[in-house]
Amino acid sequence: QVQLAESGGGLVQAGGSLKLSCQASGRIFRLDLLKWYRQAPGTQLELVASITGGGITNYADSVKGRFTISRDNAQNTLFLEMNSLKVEDTAVYYCYLERSPTVEATMRFWGQGTQVTVYS
């Protein structure tokens, strides 16, 4: 079983930057699909960014141009660089890993989340 642990959250002023990390206890494989989600109080879980095994990235419209998702398979780590932070970015951020060893089975792993609070 893969375990994911986020870190790097904290309190930051609007306009500032923060870099989140997600460390996997096991190896991150090339074909693993990696994502960052976030959830603000009283809201639904929101997909922030994703990165495929081939390095193709996608971002929510609300963070395009400000956030960058990246992965380091050798270090078994997923990153989210957040720049020009806004108050509305305040949320708990979760990392996610999806692995499909067979066509019938898909394994999904979630971290416990890290709090990001942006103040004006």
Side-chain angles (χ1 to χ4, degrees):
Q1 277 281 319
V2 174
Q3 290 186 314
L4 306 175
E6 302 95 338
S7 63
L11 184 66
V12 62
Q13 188 173 5
S17 300
L18 207 60
K19 187 174 184 178
L20 306 182
S21 299
C22 175
Q23 182 69 51
S25 62
R27 180 175 297 183
I28 294 178
F29 297 113
R30 179 182 176 183
L31 296 181
D32 289 343
L33 176 63
L34 302 171
K35 299 179 179 180
W36 284 99
Y37 288 86
R38 68 184 181 187
Q39 187 169 32
T43 71
Q44 293 184 342
L45 197 67
E46 176 189 16
L47 176 62
V48 176
S50 65
I51 182 167
T52 70
I56 299 173
T57 59
N58 282 287
Y59 299 91
D61 289 340
S62 59
V63 306
K64 282 183 179 178
R66 300 189 298 118
F67 289 12
T68 302
I69 187 172
S70 61
R71 62 194 288 169
D72 187 338
N73 292 341
Q75 297 296 319
N76 300 309
T77 307
L78 173 70
F79 301 98
L80 184 67
E81 179 71 40
M82 304 183 294
N83 299 309
S84 301
L85 282 162
K86 304 175 180 179
V87 172
E88 50 263 45
D89 294 320
T90 296
V92 177
Y93 285 72
Y94 300 91
C95 64
Y96 167 90
L97 183 155
E98 184 174 297
R99 179 176 296 167
S100 298
T102 69
V103 295
E104 294 87 9
T106 298
M107 297 185 294
R108 300 174 176 87
F109 304 94
W110 292 87
Q112 293 299 305
T114 185
Q115 176 70 49
V116 173
T117 302
V118 184
Y119 65 93
S120 62

